[in-house]
Amino acid sequence: MINPALGLCARCLRKSKDLDPFRRRGGTLISNFTHRSLQTQKFQPFTPPSPSSLGKATPAKTYRRTRRWARRLFYLALGTGVIYGFDRQYYASSITRSARTFGLGLFVALDYKINFRANPPLAPSIAALHARSAERLADLLKANGGLYLKIGQAIAMQSAVLPLEFQKMFAKMFDDAPQNSWKDVEQVIREDFGKSPEEVFGVSFSGDPDNGVMERTARASASVAQVHWARLPDGNEVAIKVQKREIAQQVGWDLWAFKAVTRIYTYWFDLPLYTLVPFVTERLLLETDFVNEADNAERMAKLVAGEPRLRGRVYVPKVYRELSSRRVMTAEWIEGVRLWDKENLTKPWKGRWRQGSPGCGGAPLDPPRQEEVADIVRSNLVDEKLKPDREWWKGSDGTGGLGLSLKAVMTEMIDLFSAQMFLWGWVHCDPHPGNIFIRRLPSGRPELVLIDHGLYVHMKPEFRHQYSLFWKSLMTFDNKTLNEIVKSWGINNADIFASATLLRPYTGGDNTTSDSIKKGLSGKEQQERYFEMQQKMRKGIRDVLGDETKWPKELIFIGRNLRIVQGNNQFLGSPVNRIKITGNWASRSLVDDPDLSYSEKAKNFGRHLIFKFVMLSSDVVFYASKIRQVFGFGGGMEDDMEEQMKKIAKDFGVELNHGVFEG
């Protein structure tokens, strides 16, 4: 029989009564409904259960902690976004850059603290640890840009004491930086002068023939500034160096972050680094002040003009003070060949006899042809290159050059920077090939043009005298004087410092350094030996820095100068005996030093004559290396010294990379 209400047969209902799980569990709703249906076999309307039959109500589940954390995350994200936007709009992302620096600095420090050991727990090897740290640092420098690239360049020239992985990374620190838009350039000029570029420089961007012209696209762009070419209304061509707009807002934050991270590393790794940081940051800060750069340029021009051995051989461009400010510097435009362009330096001269290259000796540049000026006025190509090309000296076929001797070029460079160190005490600390132009004088000799005078150090007379005596002692193996000077500077290891100064192994010492290294290293497996060597290098750094209160901070940048000059000589094929020329200037300066008495000068003159005779022995080494170089059995003298330095450095756990010497 089928139940019409439920569509069930009586047999099934009887079974459902026996198997009803709700009845056994005390269910009421369905079991009662089924029981009544079976009794009456009639359809009954649905009756809702009473509240009492449903049991006690359960409170709704809430997620208070989840909501609280969601609100916190929302407020944090909102606050971070507001700070990021405000920082980007008003502080040129200075806070963001500092936070990025601290984060990476602490992360790398922690990585080294955990893994710098013979068998790193979280790295395949110490070399792998160096590689990933170098990559992270490179990414930071590129992401932050600006002054961080300048700091990277400052470290790059001292990177020979760093692991090979860092040397390779720092070798890329000399690439051109991206240039700012013309809108930013115009705003900097307006902020500094209160006028538009047209009013300040007397130029026109609409083709007015009575005004000068200016290129809106930069000719060169570096980490701090970029250079634009312009022709003033009087016909003089100038280089207008404009600081990048964001630098003024970033410099304070960047240097503060650099100091803070260095202080952490000094404490964490027990290396005497922080005492050097204030001096370094002061130099970098001065480099962003173009009034200081103009002062340095004019001072150097006067010093060169007053020295007969350099007058007419070295040129410093004229500065236009009335068109310069703290962030804008206008100087004479220089036409010349960069030092790294060996091909154009040495190719045969195809200009006229007794004629120099454009602008040599400060001569006015050739004015543009009338048709060139007319084209500029007619076309009004304000975003194109407007500067005339002056390459007539290459000949009609364009295959000529300056026809100069690399030996003469390099001699002028070493003479100039030796005079700065030993004679004047004003040292240009950024003489890389991009800051040196070479021109040909009518006599056929080279003229060296030095630009970018932002980074200088001043040596006090007492320190300059000591440094000259130190170099002379290096040449004559006067170990007694050498040790006295080095100890007065707070340096505990004369051998290491002497080798670092000469950029070749110092063989006049007692060899205690190399002996201690050989005795100190055990014959363990390679990883452990490598770790021990790097620990020795760490101790060597402590020995060189020694007493931090006595250590002359100027040595940081003087060493940079020596290193770049050495790299330039090596790049040109070691055409001169750099060590001998530098030593001669050091010895001679003790005769010319205005702070010494006449009796002291007379004694030093006699010693100088003996010194010159002794230095003839260095020529034997120099010409022996030149003969081998000519016959293809090796490089020049600088290459030979570098190979010796590499062998010694390897005992310290340092792999010297050739690229760091190329300036």
Side-chain angles (χ1 to χ4, degrees), residues 499 502-505 566 569-570 574 576-580 621-622 625 628 635-648 656 661:
S499 296
L502 289 171
L503 297 171
R504 69 168 174 80
Q566 184 260 357
N569 189 35
Q570 184 176 3
S574 304
V576 298
N577 186 346
R578 174 182 58 88
I579 300 293
K580 178 185 174 183
V621 178
F622 173 72
S625 67
R628 291 198 305 273
M637 186 178 182
E638 299 287 4
D639 294 307
D640 294 342
M641 290 190 296
E642 183 186 300
E643 287 303 316
Q644 296 176 49
M645 283 292 288
K646 283 182 177 180
K647 291 177 182 178
I648 288 184
L656 291 181
F661 292 104

PDB file of all heavy atoms in Angstrom, residues 499 502-505 566 569-570 574 576-580 621-622 625 628 635-648 656 661:
ATOM      1  N   SER A 499     103.989  48.561   0.216  1.00  0.00           N
ATOM      2  CA  SER A 499     103.577  47.885  -1.015  1.00  0.00           C
ATOM      3  C   SER A 499     102.321  48.524  -1.595  1.00  0.00           C
ATOM      4  O   SER A 499     102.188  48.691  -2.814  1.00  0.00           O
ATOM      5  CB  SER A 499     103.326  46.400  -0.740  1.00  0.00           C
ATOM      6  OG  SER A 499     104.517  45.755  -0.339  1.00  0.00           O
ATOM      7  N   LEU A 502     103.428  51.925  -3.253  1.00  0.00           N
ATOM      8  CA  LEU A 502     104.172  51.763  -4.497  1.00  0.00           C
ATOM      9  C   LEU A 502     103.343  51.072  -5.573  1.00  0.00           C
ATOM     10  O   LEU A 502     103.643  51.176  -6.758  1.00  0.00           O
ATOM     11  CB  LEU A 502     105.434  50.930  -4.246  1.00  0.00           C
ATOM     12  CG  LEU A 502     106.562  51.593  -3.457  1.00  0.00           C
ATOM     13  CD1 LEU A 502     107.630  50.567  -3.125  1.00  0.00           C
ATOM     14  CD2 LEU A 502     107.174  52.747  -4.235  1.00  0.00           C
ATOM     15  N   LEU A 503     102.310  50.339  -5.143  1.00  0.00           N
ATOM     16  CA  LEU A 503     101.526  49.474  -6.032  1.00  0.00           C
ATOM     17  C   LEU A 503     102.426  48.423  -6.664  1.00  0.00           C
ATOM     18  O   LEU A 503     102.270  48.027  -7.821  1.00  0.00           O
ATOM     19  CB  LEU A 503     100.797  50.294  -7.103  1.00  0.00           C
ATOM     20  CG  LEU A 503      99.767  51.265  -6.537  1.00  0.00           C
ATOM     21  CD1 LEU A 503      99.250  52.185  -7.620  1.00  0.00           C
ATOM     22  CD2 LEU A 503      98.635  50.542  -5.862  1.00  0.00           C
ATOM     23  N   ARG A 504     103.406  48.011  -5.900  1.00  0.00           N
ATOM     24  CA  ARG A 504     104.275  46.886  -6.234  1.00  0.00           C
ATOM     25  C   ARG A 504     104.842  46.357  -4.923  1.00  0.00           C
ATOM     26  O   ARG A 504     104.846  47.071  -3.907  1.00  0.00           O
ATOM     27  CB  ARG A 504     105.404  47.295  -7.180  1.00  0.00           C
ATOM     28  CG  ARG A 504     106.470  48.212  -6.556  1.00  0.00           C
ATOM     29  CD  ARG A 504     107.677  48.311  -7.486  1.00  0.00           C
ATOM     30  NE  ARG A 504     108.664  49.272  -7.036  1.00  0.00           N
ATOM     31  CZ  ARG A 504     109.573  49.038  -6.090  1.00  0.00           C
ATOM     32  NH1 ARG A 504     109.590  47.870  -5.473  1.00  0.00           N
ATOM     33  NH2 ARG A 504     110.448  49.957  -5.750  1.00  0.00           N
ATOM     34  N   PRO A 505     105.360  45.123  -4.886  1.00  0.00           N
ATOM     35  CA  PRO A 505     105.891  44.589  -3.635  1.00  0.00           C
ATOM     36  C   PRO A 505     107.072  45.412  -3.130  1.00  0.00           C
ATOM     37  O   PRO A 505     107.977  45.749  -3.895  1.00  0.00           O
ATOM     38  CB  PRO A 505     106.330  43.168  -4.017  1.00  0.00           C
ATOM     39  CG  PRO A 505     105.567  42.840  -5.250  1.00  0.00           C
ATOM     40  CD  PRO A 505     105.377  44.127  -5.980  1.00  0.00           C
ATOM     41  N   GLN A 566      98.413  55.074 -11.849  1.00  0.00           N
ATOM     42  CA  GLN A 566      99.061  53.811 -12.179  1.00  0.00           C
ATOM     43  C   GLN A 566      98.247  53.042 -13.224  1.00  0.00           C
ATOM     44  O   GLN A 566      98.788  52.473 -14.171  1.00  0.00           O
ATOM     45  CB  GLN A 566      99.241  52.964 -10.913  1.00  0.00           C
ATOM     46  CG  GLN A 566      99.993  51.663 -11.141  1.00  0.00           C
ATOM     47  CD  GLN A 566      99.068  50.458 -11.262  1.00  0.00           C
ATOM     48  OE1 GLN A 566      97.851  50.591 -11.119  1.00  0.00           O
ATOM     49  NE2 GLN A 566      99.630  49.308 -11.545  1.00  0.00           N
ATOM     50  N   ASN A 569      98.694  54.630 -16.690  1.00  0.00           N
ATOM     51  CA  ASN A 569      99.989  54.269 -17.268  1.00  0.00           C
ATOM     52  C   ASN A 569      99.955  52.837 -17.811  1.00  0.00           C
ATOM     53  O   ASN A 569     100.445  52.553 -18.908  1.00  0.00           O
ATOM     54  CB  ASN A 569     101.086  54.407 -16.213  1.00  0.00           C
ATOM     55  CG  ASN A 569     102.487  54.259 -16.790  1.00  0.00           C
ATOM     56  OD1 ASN A 569     102.754  54.678 -17.920  1.00  0.00           O
ATOM     57  ND2 ASN A 569     103.382  53.656 -16.035  1.00  0.00           N
ATOM     58  N   GLN A 570      99.350  51.958 -17.056  1.00  0.00           N
ATOM     59  CA  GLN A 570      99.252  50.564 -17.488  1.00  0.00           C
ATOM     60  C   GLN A 570      98.370  50.439 -18.731  1.00  0.00           C
ATOM     61  O   GLN A 570      98.682  49.686 -19.651  1.00  0.00           O
ATOM     62  CB  GLN A 570      98.688  49.713 -16.356  1.00  0.00           C
ATOM     63  CG  GLN A 570      98.639  48.234 -16.657  1.00  0.00           C
ATOM     64  CD  GLN A 570      98.155  47.429 -15.465  1.00  0.00           C
ATOM     65  OE1 GLN A 570      97.802  47.995 -14.442  1.00  0.00           O
ATOM     66  NE2 GLN A 570      98.132  46.128 -15.607  1.00  0.00           N
ATOM     67  N   SER A 574     102.336  51.145 -20.274  1.00  0.00           N
ATOM     68  CA  SER A 574     103.491  51.457 -19.403  1.00  0.00           C
ATOM     69  C   SER A 574     104.594  52.190 -20.171  1.00  0.00           C
ATOM     70  O   SER A 574     105.739  51.742 -20.210  1.00  0.00           O
ATOM     71  CB  SER A 574     104.052  50.180 -18.773  1.00  0.00           C
ATOM     72  OG  SER A 574     103.064  49.479 -18.070  1.00  0.00           O
ATOM     73  N   VAL A 576     106.146  54.920 -19.425  1.00  0.00           N
ATOM     74  CA  VAL A 576     107.120  55.624 -18.583  1.00  0.00           C
ATOM     75  C   VAL A 576     107.369  54.851 -17.296  1.00  0.00           C
ATOM     76  O   VAL A 576     106.567  54.003 -16.893  1.00  0.00           O
ATOM     77  CB  VAL A 576     106.632  57.048 -18.233  1.00  0.00           C
ATOM     78  CG1 VAL A 576     106.466  57.889 -19.478  1.00  0.00           C
ATOM     79  CG2 VAL A 576     105.326  57.002 -17.450  1.00  0.00           C
ATOM     80  N   ASN A 577     108.483  55.179 -16.653  1.00  0.00           N
ATOM     81  CA  ASN A 577     108.837  54.614 -15.354  1.00  0.00           C
ATOM     82  C   ASN A 577     108.158  55.462 -14.280  1.00  0.00           C
ATOM     83  O   ASN A 577     108.729  56.434 -13.783  1.00  0.00           O
ATOM     84  CB  ASN A 577     110.358  54.612 -15.181  1.00  0.00           C
ATOM     85  CG  ASN A 577     110.803  53.902 -13.915  1.00  0.00           C
ATOM     86  OD1 ASN A 577     109.994  53.632 -13.022  1.00  0.00           O
ATOM     87  ND2 ASN A 577     112.098  53.609 -13.826  1.00  0.00           N
ATOM     88  N   ARG A 578     106.934  55.104 -13.960  1.00  0.00           N
ATOM     89  CA  ARG A 578     106.131  55.904 -13.021  1.00  0.00           C
ATOM     90  C   ARG A 578     106.794  56.042 -11.657  1.00  0.00           C
ATOM     91  O   ARG A 578     106.799  57.136 -11.059  1.00  0.00           O
ATOM     92  CB  ARG A 578     104.750  55.254 -12.865  1.00  0.00           C
ATOM     93  CG  ARG A 578     103.859  55.883 -11.811  1.00  0.00           C
ATOM     94  CD  ARG A 578     102.545  55.137 -11.697  1.00  0.00           C
ATOM     95  NE  ARG A 578     102.734  53.733 -11.372  1.00  0.00           N
ATOM     96  CZ  ARG A 578     102.833  53.271 -10.125  1.00  0.00           C
ATOM     97  NH1 ARG A 578     102.759  54.091  -9.106  1.00  0.00           N
ATOM     98  NH2 ARG A 578     102.993  51.985  -9.902  1.00  0.00           N
ATOM     99  N   ILE A 579     107.364  54.961 -11.150  1.00  0.00           N
ATOM    100  CA  ILE A 579     107.974  54.976  -9.824  1.00  0.00           C
ATOM    101  C   ILE A 579     109.124  55.982  -9.769  1.00  0.00           C
ATOM    102  O   ILE A 579     109.254  56.766  -8.825  1.00  0.00           O
ATOM    103  CB  ILE A 579     108.482  53.570  -9.453  1.00  0.00           C
ATOM    104  CG1 ILE A 579     107.326  52.567  -9.433  1.00  0.00           C
ATOM    105  CG2 ILE A 579     109.204  53.596  -8.113  1.00  0.00           C
ATOM    106  CD1 ILE A 579     106.331  52.801  -8.331  1.00  0.00           C
ATOM    107  N   LYS A 580     109.972  55.976 -10.805  1.00  0.00           N
ATOM    108  CA  LYS A 580     111.124  56.880 -10.825  1.00  0.00           C
ATOM    109  C   LYS A 580     110.688  58.344 -10.894  1.00  0.00           C
ATOM    110  O   LYS A 580     111.213  59.195 -10.163  1.00  0.00           O
ATOM    111  CB  LYS A 580     112.019  56.544 -12.012  1.00  0.00           C
ATOM    112  CG  LYS A 580     113.213  57.471 -12.147  1.00  0.00           C
ATOM    113  CD  LYS A 580     113.995  57.177 -13.415  1.00  0.00           C
ATOM    114  CE  LYS A 580     115.108  58.211 -13.606  1.00  0.00           C
ATOM    115  NZ  LYS A 580     115.850  57.982 -14.872  1.00  0.00           N
ATOM    116  N   VAL A 621     115.552  48.025 -14.660  1.00  0.00           N
ATOM    117  CA  VAL A 621     114.356  47.182 -14.585  1.00  0.00           C
ATOM    118  C   VAL A 621     113.330  47.626 -15.622  1.00  0.00           C
ATOM    119  O   VAL A 621     112.699  46.795 -16.301  1.00  0.00           O
ATOM    120  CB  VAL A 621     113.752  47.240 -13.166  1.00  0.00           C
ATOM    121  CG1 VAL A 621     112.480  46.396 -13.087  1.00  0.00           C
ATOM    122  CG2 VAL A 621     114.758  46.786 -12.135  1.00  0.00           C
ATOM    123  N   PHE A 622     113.161  48.943 -15.765  1.00  0.00           N
ATOM    124  CA  PHE A 622     112.152  49.474 -16.682  1.00  0.00           C
ATOM    125  C   PHE A 622     112.460  49.084 -18.126  1.00  0.00           C
ATOM    126  O   PHE A 622     111.593  48.571 -18.851  1.00  0.00           O
ATOM    127  CB  PHE A 622     112.087  50.997 -16.548  1.00  0.00           C
ATOM    128  CG  PHE A 622     111.195  51.666 -17.551  1.00  0.00           C
ATOM    129  CD1 PHE A 622     109.819  51.554 -17.462  1.00  0.00           C
ATOM    130  CD2 PHE A 622     111.737  52.393 -18.608  1.00  0.00           C
ATOM    131  CE1 PHE A 622     108.985  52.159 -18.392  1.00  0.00           C
ATOM    132  CE2 PHE A 622     110.912  53.000 -19.541  1.00  0.00           C
ATOM    133  CZ  PHE A 622     109.541  52.880 -19.428  1.00  0.00           C
ATOM    134  N   SER A 625     112.015  45.384 -18.963  1.00  0.00           N
ATOM    135  CA  SER A 625     110.619  45.024 -19.213  1.00  0.00           C
ATOM    136  C   SER A 625     110.156  45.538 -20.573  1.00  0.00           C
ATOM    137  O   SER A 625     109.343  44.890 -21.251  1.00  0.00           O
ATOM    138  CB  SER A 625     109.722  45.573 -18.098  1.00  0.00           C
ATOM    139  OG  SER A 625     109.687  46.980 -18.121  1.00  0.00           O
ATOM    140  N   ARG A 628     111.349  43.085 -23.241  1.00  0.00           N
ATOM    141  CA  ARG A 628     110.495  41.897 -23.259  1.00  0.00           C
ATOM    142  C   ARG A 628     109.147  42.219 -23.905  1.00  0.00           C
ATOM    143  O   ARG A 628     108.567  41.407 -24.619  1.00  0.00           O
ATOM    144  CB  ARG A 628     110.275  41.383 -21.831  1.00  0.00           C
ATOM    145  CG  ARG A 628     111.513  40.788 -21.194  1.00  0.00           C
ATOM    146  CD  ARG A 628     111.150  39.926 -19.988  1.00  0.00           C
ATOM    147  NE  ARG A 628     110.361  40.640 -18.999  1.00  0.00           N
ATOM    148  CZ  ARG A 628     110.876  41.364 -18.017  1.00  0.00           C
ATOM    149  NH1 ARG A 628     112.199  41.469 -17.891  1.00  0.00           N
ATOM    150  NH2 ARG A 628     110.101  41.992 -17.161  1.00  0.00           N
ATOM    151  N   GLY A 635     104.158  42.078 -20.635  1.00  0.00           N
ATOM    152  CA  GLY A 635     103.646  43.438 -20.719  1.00  0.00           C
ATOM    153  C   GLY A 635     104.712  44.435 -20.311  1.00  0.00           C
ATOM    154  O   GLY A 635     105.910  44.127 -20.273  1.00  0.00           O
ATOM    155  N   GLY A 636     104.274  45.642 -19.974  1.00  0.00           N
ATOM    156  CA  GLY A 636     105.207  46.653 -19.526  1.00  0.00           C
ATOM    157  C   GLY A 636     105.555  46.493 -18.062  1.00  0.00           C
ATOM    158  O   GLY A 636     105.196  45.516 -17.399  1.00  0.00           O
ATOM    159  N   MET A 637     106.253  47.496 -17.534  1.00  0.00           N
ATOM    160  CA  MET A 637     106.701  47.460 -16.147  1.00  0.00           C
ATOM    161  C   MET A 637     105.523  47.394 -15.187  1.00  0.00           C
ATOM    162  O   MET A 637     105.571  46.686 -14.172  1.00  0.00           O
ATOM    163  CB  MET A 637     107.564  48.691 -15.858  1.00  0.00           C
ATOM    164  CG  MET A 637     108.215  48.704 -14.484  1.00  0.00           C
ATOM    165  SD  MET A 637     109.257  50.158 -14.270  1.00  0.00           S
ATOM    166  CE  MET A 637     109.901  49.857 -12.625  1.00  0.00           C
ATOM    167  N   GLU A 638     104.445  48.114 -15.491  1.00  0.00           N
ATOM    168  CA  GLU A 638     103.277  48.100 -14.616  1.00  0.00           C
ATOM    169  C   GLU A 638     102.652  46.703 -14.576  1.00  0.00           C
ATOM    170  O   GLU A 638     102.197  46.246 -13.526  1.00  0.00           O
ATOM    171  CB  GLU A 638     102.229  49.122 -15.084  1.00  0.00           C
ATOM    172  CG  GLU A 638     102.692  50.571 -15.089  1.00  0.00           C
ATOM    173  CD  GLU A 638     102.816  51.164 -13.686  1.00  0.00           C
ATOM    174  OE1 GLU A 638     102.616  50.437 -12.701  1.00  0.00           O
ATOM    175  OE2 GLU A 638     103.115  52.363 -13.607  1.00  0.00           O
ATOM    176  N   ASP A 639     102.630  46.014 -15.715  1.00  0.00           N
ATOM    177  CA  ASP A 639     102.088  44.655 -15.740  1.00  0.00           C
ATOM    178  C   ASP A 639     102.939  43.700 -14.917  1.00  0.00           C
ATOM    179  O   ASP A 639     102.413  42.835 -14.209  1.00  0.00           O
ATOM    180  CB  ASP A 639     102.000  44.151 -17.191  1.00  0.00           C
ATOM    181  CG  ASP A 639     101.002  44.936 -18.019  1.00  0.00           C
ATOM    182  OD1 ASP A 639      99.847  45.053 -17.589  1.00  0.00           O
ATOM    183  OD2 ASP A 639     101.375  45.440 -19.083  1.00  0.00           O
ATOM    184  N   ASP A 640     104.270  43.868 -15.010  1.00  0.00           N
ATOM    185  CA  ASP A 640     105.161  43.009 -14.221  1.00  0.00           C
ATOM    186  C   ASP A 640     104.944  43.224 -12.729  1.00  0.00           C
ATOM    187  O   ASP A 640     104.884  42.267 -11.949  1.00  0.00           O
ATOM    188  CB  ASP A 640     106.623  43.300 -14.577  1.00  0.00           C
ATOM    189  CG  ASP A 640     106.954  42.902 -16.014  1.00  0.00           C
ATOM    190  OD1 ASP A 640     106.181  42.115 -16.595  1.00  0.00           O
ATOM    191  OD2 ASP A 640     107.969  43.392 -16.543  1.00  0.00           O
ATOM    192  N   MET A 641     104.807  44.505 -12.335  1.00  0.00           N
ATOM    193  CA  MET A 641     104.602  44.796 -10.919  1.00  0.00           C
ATOM    194  C   MET A 641     103.253  44.278 -10.444  1.00  0.00           C
ATOM    195  O   MET A 641     103.117  43.798  -9.321  1.00  0.00           O
ATOM    196  CB  MET A 641     104.717  46.306 -10.669  1.00  0.00           C
ATOM    197  CG  MET A 641     106.132  46.840 -10.811  1.00  0.00           C
ATOM    198  SD  MET A 641     106.320  48.534 -10.231  1.00  0.00           S
ATOM    199  CE  MET A 641     105.284  49.409 -11.356  1.00  0.00           C
ATOM    200  N   GLU A 642     102.267  44.365 -11.342  1.00  0.00           N
ATOM    201  CA  GLU A 642     100.950  43.870 -10.955  1.00  0.00           C
ATOM    202  C   GLU A 642     100.972  42.363 -10.707  1.00  0.00           C
ATOM    203  O   GLU A 642     100.348  41.853  -9.769  1.00  0.00           O
ATOM    204  CB  GLU A 642      99.936  44.202 -12.033  1.00  0.00           C
ATOM    205  CG  GLU A 642      98.522  43.780 -11.661  1.00  0.00           C
ATOM    206  CD  GLU A 642      97.550  43.979 -12.803  1.00  0.00           C
ATOM    207  OE1 GLU A 642      97.407  45.116 -13.245  1.00  0.00           O
ATOM    208  OE2 GLU A 642      96.954  42.984 -13.236  1.00  0.00           O
ATOM    209  N   GLU A 643     101.700  41.624 -11.570  1.00  0.00           N
ATOM    210  CA  GLU A 643     101.789  40.177 -11.388  1.00  0.00           C
ATOM    211  C   GLU A 643     102.445  39.842 -10.051  1.00  0.00           C
ATOM    212  O   GLU A 643     102.035  38.908  -9.360  1.00  0.00           O
ATOM    213  CB  GLU A 643     102.582  39.555 -12.549  1.00  0.00           C
ATOM    214  CG  GLU A 643     101.826  39.517 -13.866  1.00  0.00           C
ATOM    215  CD  GLU A 643     100.505  38.772 -13.749  1.00  0.00           C
ATOM    216  OE1 GLU A 643     100.479  37.694 -13.115  1.00  0.00           O
ATOM    217  OE2 GLU A 643      99.502  39.275 -14.285  1.00  0.00           O
ATOM    218  N   GLN A 644     103.478  40.617  -9.682  1.00  0.00           N
ATOM    219  CA  GLN A 644     104.118  40.388  -8.384  1.00  0.00           C
ATOM    220  C   GLN A 644     103.156  40.703  -7.243  1.00  0.00           C
ATOM    221  O   GLN A 644     103.095  39.980  -6.248  1.00  0.00           O
ATOM    222  CB  GLN A 644     105.375  41.259  -8.258  1.00  0.00           C
ATOM    223  CG  GLN A 644     106.464  40.915  -9.262  1.00  0.00           C
ATOM    224  CD  GLN A 644     107.639  41.867  -9.162  1.00  0.00           C
ATOM    225  OE1 GLN A 644     108.163  42.135  -8.085  1.00  0.00           O
ATOM    226  NE2 GLN A 644     108.061  42.404 -10.304  1.00  0.00           N
ATOM    227  N   MET A 645     102.391  41.791  -7.426  1.00  0.00           N
ATOM    228  CA  MET A 645     101.420  42.152  -6.386  1.00  0.00           C
ATOM    229  C   MET A 645     100.346  41.078  -6.255  1.00  0.00           C
ATOM    230  O   MET A 645      99.882  40.769  -5.157  1.00  0.00           O
ATOM    231  CB  MET A 645     100.768  43.495  -6.716  1.00  0.00           C
ATOM    232  CG  MET A 645     101.639  44.699  -6.423  1.00  0.00           C
ATOM    233  SD  MET A 645     101.921  44.946  -4.657  1.00  0.00           S
ATOM    234  CE  MET A 645     100.324  45.517  -4.125  1.00  0.00           C
ATOM    235  N   LYS A 646      99.952  40.483  -7.377  1.00  0.00           N
ATOM    236  CA  LYS A 646      98.930  39.437  -7.331  1.00  0.00           C
ATOM    237  C   LYS A 646      99.408  38.233  -6.526  1.00  0.00           C
ATOM    238  O   LYS A 646      98.643  37.632  -5.767  1.00  0.00           O
ATOM    239  CB  LYS A 646      98.558  39.000  -8.750  1.00  0.00           C
ATOM    240  CG  LYS A 646      97.645  39.960  -9.488  1.00  0.00           C
ATOM    241  CD  LYS A 646      97.297  39.421 -10.868  1.00  0.00           C
ATOM    242  CE  LYS A 646      96.322  40.348 -11.576  1.00  0.00           C
ATOM    243  NZ  LYS A 646      95.968  39.857 -12.929  1.00  0.00           N
ATOM    244  N   LYS A 647     100.694  37.883  -6.708  1.00  0.00           N
ATOM    245  CA  LYS A 647     101.236  36.733  -5.984  1.00  0.00           C
ATOM    246  C   LYS A 647     101.253  36.987  -4.485  1.00  0.00           C
ATOM    247  O   LYS A 647     100.898  36.125  -3.677  1.00  0.00           O
ATOM    248  CB  LYS A 647     102.645  36.422  -6.488  1.00  0.00           C
ATOM    249  CG  LYS A 647     102.679  35.889  -7.913  1.00  0.00           C
ATOM    250  CD  LYS A 647     104.099  35.669  -8.389  1.00  0.00           C
ATOM    251  CE  LYS A 647     104.115  35.191  -9.845  1.00  0.00           C
ATOM    252  NZ  LYS A 647     105.496  35.022 -10.364  1.00  0.00           N
ATOM    253  N   ILE A 648     101.689  38.198  -4.112  1.00  0.00           N
ATOM    254  CA  ILE A 648     101.713  38.528  -2.686  1.00  0.00           C
ATOM    255  C   ILE A 648     100.293  38.624  -2.141  1.00  0.00           C
ATOM    256  O   ILE A 648      99.980  38.125  -1.064  1.00  0.00           O
ATOM    257  CB  ILE A 648     102.467  39.857  -2.454  1.00  0.00           C
ATOM    258  CG1 ILE A 648     103.967  39.634  -2.678  1.00  0.00           C
ATOM    259  CG2 ILE A 648     102.226  40.394  -1.055  1.00  0.00           C
ATOM    260  CD1 ILE A 648     104.804  40.845  -2.381  1.00  0.00           C
ATOM    261  N   LEU A 656      93.471  39.809  -7.027  1.00  0.00           N
ATOM    262  CA  LEU A 656      93.468  41.097  -7.708  1.00  0.00           C
ATOM    263  C   LEU A 656      92.922  40.924  -9.120  1.00  0.00           C
ATOM    264  O   LEU A 656      93.359  40.045  -9.865  1.00  0.00           O
ATOM    265  CB  LEU A 656      94.886  41.675  -7.772  1.00  0.00           C
ATOM    266  CG  LEU A 656      95.479  42.132  -6.435  1.00  0.00           C
ATOM    267  CD1 LEU A 656      96.866  42.707  -6.666  1.00  0.00           C
ATOM    268  CD2 LEU A 656      94.596  43.161  -5.776  1.00  0.00           C
ATOM    269  N   PHE A 661      92.528  48.180 -12.306  1.00  0.00           N
ATOM    270  CA  PHE A 661      93.661  49.060 -12.557  1.00  0.00           C
ATOM    271  C   PHE A 661      93.468  49.933 -13.788  1.00  0.00           C
ATOM    272  O   PHE A 661      94.331  50.717 -14.121  1.00  0.00           O
ATOM    273  CB  PHE A 661      94.937  48.221 -12.744  1.00  0.00           C
ATOM    274  CG  PHE A 661      95.388  47.529 -11.497  1.00  0.00           C
ATOM    275  CD1 PHE A 661      95.178  46.177 -11.327  1.00  0.00           C
ATOM    276  CD2 PHE A 661      95.991  48.230 -10.482  1.00  0.00           C
ATOM    277  CE1 PHE A 661      95.591  45.533 -10.180  1.00  0.00           C
ATOM    278  CE2 PHE A 661      96.398  47.593  -9.326  1.00  0.00           C
ATOM    279  CZ  PHE A 661      96.202  46.247  -9.174  1.00  0.00           C
TER     280      PHE A 661
END
